[in-house]
Amino acid sequence: MSPSNMNPADDASHSSSQPENGFIDSASLVNSEKAVQELLQRTPVLDNDEHLIEFSEALRTVAKALRRAAEGKAAAQAEAAEWKRKYELERARNQNFQQQDKISGGKHHDDVCRGGTRNLDDQNDSCNETDEQPEGCCAEHGICSHEVLFNGENDSASRAIQKRMMRKASFKLSWRCKGERSDQHKHDIVSFEKGNITTAGRTSKQIALKWESPPQTVLIMTKPNSISVQVLCGEIIRWLKNHKNLNIYVEPHVQSELLTDSSSFEFVQTWQDESEIPDLHKKVDLVVTLGGDGTVLWAASMFKGPVPPVVPFSLGSLGFMTPFYSERYKEDLDSILKGPISITLRHRLQCHVVRDSARNEYETDKLILVLNEVTIDRGISSYLTNLECYCDNSFVTLVQGDGLILSTTSGSTAYSLAAGGSMVHPQVPGILFTPICPHSLSFRPLILPEHVTIRVQVPFNSRSPAWASFDGKDRKKLEAGDALICRMAPWPVPTACQVDSTGDFLRSIHEGLHWNQRKTQSFDGPREQ
């Protein structure tokens, strides 16, 4: 199409509609679209002229673009007009406030700074801010920078309201039992206020036991097959009866040994049948063990539920739970019976075996409580142990090696330590997950929280069965499909401390394991200049 086909009047009107700033207004965009439509109608298009067809399609595209631009420009102008109207209203209101403040002589500002109903943060913000405009303010000729920053609200009350609206939300974290549907929480553990996260109820102090009524009955448990322990047991029994007038309980075979030596031990009591053992904690106020850690384990296994406080005396070769010395039994027992004393709560694991033939998880073997660890190994088989491990029904790993140890923190210095596990303070509530000679260099021990449930299952494609032992005894065979369920027991074993829980633990690893003991480097060697 040649330029001669265009109307000169339309060209002149189109040129005159151009503004000085180079932008096209809405009216000109609409006129341009109309001009394009008229041009399309006046120009005959032949079917055989492909160039004209393409040119007409391009003009239609340009018309659509011009229409969209005109609509966008109109919407933008309407939005700008609305913002301008709001700004004029805010500016008029602020000028009115300033005039009222000048007339009242600043009383409004003083009242805001001295108001007693506002909090301390709002008072500080209000008193530090003034209604005076900064130097070079251009409020009379345009928008000031401080008005832009504060959205046109430069008075103290409006800033205080704005700050109150910008505060963060507060929250609390609470313990909740697994499967609990009610709104009752055990206790709050973490609180959040004004950006600071703090723990509730945390303390660095040790656990203390204070008698509300004096103890009446003491159970004494001894290391077997030891003449020195038997002699010491007789001395302690006589002293407790003559000086403290306490009731004494011992195991049946210990009572027989005492009566064989002397008939003066007729006051010593015992149980006649094993059916009386589950109710033993209702009769006994204090348990005294004479032996090593094995005696403490045996005493803890006697109680399938709550355990009375245990006072362990060291009469073995190696002890991490026996801080008291037999030579000072009179002073130690006298102090413990008076109280208060420091206590270490040693957590236990409750375990039960679910057979493959069981119809559900509740058809299990009897419940077993362990103070140190439960061990699953390959027994006498020469094949590697295959164990599928789950934590709260989430798959953890497949153990291939000699076995697996599930240990308490009290048992962290026993078999778990020999297998490469870490030493853990007994007051730390957790379950140690330690492999035994794993067939993988990257298989490192884990420490899991105390609230989880661990399930160890022998897969059906296992080449051999596995064997589970609980604190070194009660060995059970696990066939393919059998599973061992392990979780933290609700009844810990409270053991008395010589000093406190931390002091006794550190002393036990220093004296029992000679932990980090080495020769001191000589001081007369070469030195830095």
Side-chain angles (χ1 to χ4, degrees), residues 387-391 394-397 399 404 433 455-457:
L387 301 173
E388 294 178 352
C389 302
Y390 300 85
C391 180
S394 297
F395 179 73
V396 179
T397 187
V399 176
L404 177 68
F433 187 93
R455 178 165 59 94
V456 181
Q457 185 170 354

Side-chain angles (χ1 to χ4, degrees), residues 37-98:
Q37 295 293 340
E38 293 175 357
L39 182 61
L40 291 174
Q41 293 175 0
R42 291 200 305 266
T43 305
V45 179
L46 300 177
D47 295 337
N48 56 358
D49 195 346
E50 296 180 357
H51 297 287
L52 293 178
I53 294 174
E54 293 179 359
F55 184 70
S56 62
E57 292 296 334
L59 288 178
R60 289 189 181 92
T61 304
V62 172
K64 292 180 181 179
L66 291 174
R67 183 173 63 253
R68 291 173 183 174
E71 293 174 354
K73 184 69 177 281
Q77 289 178 348
E79 185 178 1
E82 181 65 20
W83 278 106
K84 184 177 180 180
R85 185 185 64 82
K86 292 181 179 180
Y87 165 71
E88 293 295 341
L89 292 176
E90 290 293 329
R91 183 178 178 183
R93 187 173 66 88
N94 293 334
Q95 290 178 355
N96 188 19
F97 285 159
Q98 292 175 5

Side-chain angles (χ1 to χ4, degrees), residues 207-256:
I207 301 175
L209 182 147
K210 183 179 180 181
W211 301 104
E212 295 183 353
S213 59
Q216 301 294 327
T217 305
V218 176
L219 170 64
I220 300 179
M221 304 192 70
T222 62
K223 176 183 176 180
N225 304 322
S226 176
I227 302 299
S228 59
V229 172
Q230 183 178 350
V231 173
L232 178 62
C233 178
E235 294 181 2
I236 293 178
I237 289 175
R238 290 193 181 93
W239 183 81
L240 290 175
K241 184 64 176 179
N242 298 331
H243 294 82
K244 301 299 179 180
N245 195 23
L246 297 177
N247 300 320
I248 309 298
Y249 268 81
V250 295
E251 297 177 82
H253 72 276
V254 176
Q255 184 192 41
S256 301

Side-chain angles (χ1 to χ4, degrees), residues 27-255:
S28 62
L29 291 174
V30 174
N31 294 332
S32 300
E33 183 183 359
K34 292 180 179 179
V36 172
Q37 295 293 340
E38 293 175 357
L39 182 61
L40 291 174
Q41 293 175 0
R42 291 200 305 266
T43 305
V45 179
L46 300 177
D47 295 337
N48 56 358
D49 195 346
E50 296 180 357
H51 297 287
L52 293 178
I53 294 174
E54 293 179 359
F55 184 70
S56 62
E57 292 296 334
L59 288 178
R60 289 189 181 92
T61 304
V62 172
K64 292 180 181 179
L66 291 174
R67 183 173 63 253
R68 291 173 183 174
E71 293 174 354
K73 184 69 177 281
Q77 289 178 348
E79 185 178 1
E82 181 65 20
W83 278 106
K84 184 177 180 180
R85 185 185 64 82
K86 292 181 179 180
Y87 165 71
E88 293 295 341
L89 292 176
E90 290 293 329
R91 183 178 178 183
R93 187 173 66 88
N94 293 334
Q95 290 178 355
N96 188 19
F97 285 159
Q98 292 175 5
Q99 292 177 1
Q100 292 179 0
D101 190 23
K102 292 178 181 179
I103 295 173
S104 60
K107 292 182 179 180
H108 173 72
H109 175 71
D110 295 338
D111 293 339
V112 172
C113 291
R114 298 173 184 175
T117 59
R118 304 176 62 187
N119 56 35
L120 183 59
D121 295 336
D122 293 340
Q123 290 179 8
N124 293 335
D125 294 339
S126 300
C127 293
N128 291 333
E129 295 171 356
T130 62
D131 293 334
E132 297 179 357
Q133 296 181 355
E135 297 181 0
C137 179
C138 54
E140 298 180 357
H141 307 284
I143 303 176
C144 298
S145 60
H146 65 277
E147 289 181 349
V148 174
L149 293 175
F150 293 97
N151 196 19
E153 297 181 358
N154 56 356
D155 60 300
S156 302
S158 60
R159 291 187 182 182
I161 295 173
Q162 187 183 26
K163 181 176 181 180
R164 191 179 297 112
M165 294 175 62
M166 292 175 60
R167 286 182 178 175
K168 293 184 178 180
S170 60
F171 66 86
K172 290 183 179 180
L173 302 180
S174 303
W175 289 115
R176 185 183 291 275
C177 296
K178 184 178 181 181
E180 184 181 1
R181 297 181 180 178
S182 63
D183 294 332
Q184 300 294 330
H185 306 304
K186 288 187 176 181
H187 58 276
D188 296 332
I189 57 171
V190 176
S191 60
F192 182 86
E193 186 67 26
K194 294 183 180 180
N196 297 323
I197 298 179
T198 59
T199 55
R202 291 299 184 100
T203 178
S204 60
K205 296 181 180 179
Q206 304 290 333
I207 301 175
L209 182 147
K210 183 179 180 181
W211 301 104
E212 295 183 353
S213 59
Q216 301 294 327
T217 305
V218 176
L219 170 64
I220 300 179
M221 304 192 70
T222 62
K223 176 183 176 180
N225 304 322
S226 176
I227 302 299
S228 59
V229 172
Q230 183 178 350
V231 173
L232 178 62
C233 178
E235 294 181 2
I236 293 178
I237 289 175
R238 290 193 181 93
W239 183 81
L240 290 175
K241 184 64 176 179
N242 298 331
H243 294 82
K244 301 299 179 180
N245 195 23
L246 297 177
N247 300 320
I248 309 298
Y249 268 81
V250 295
E251 297 177 82
H253 72 276
V254 176
Q255 184 192 41

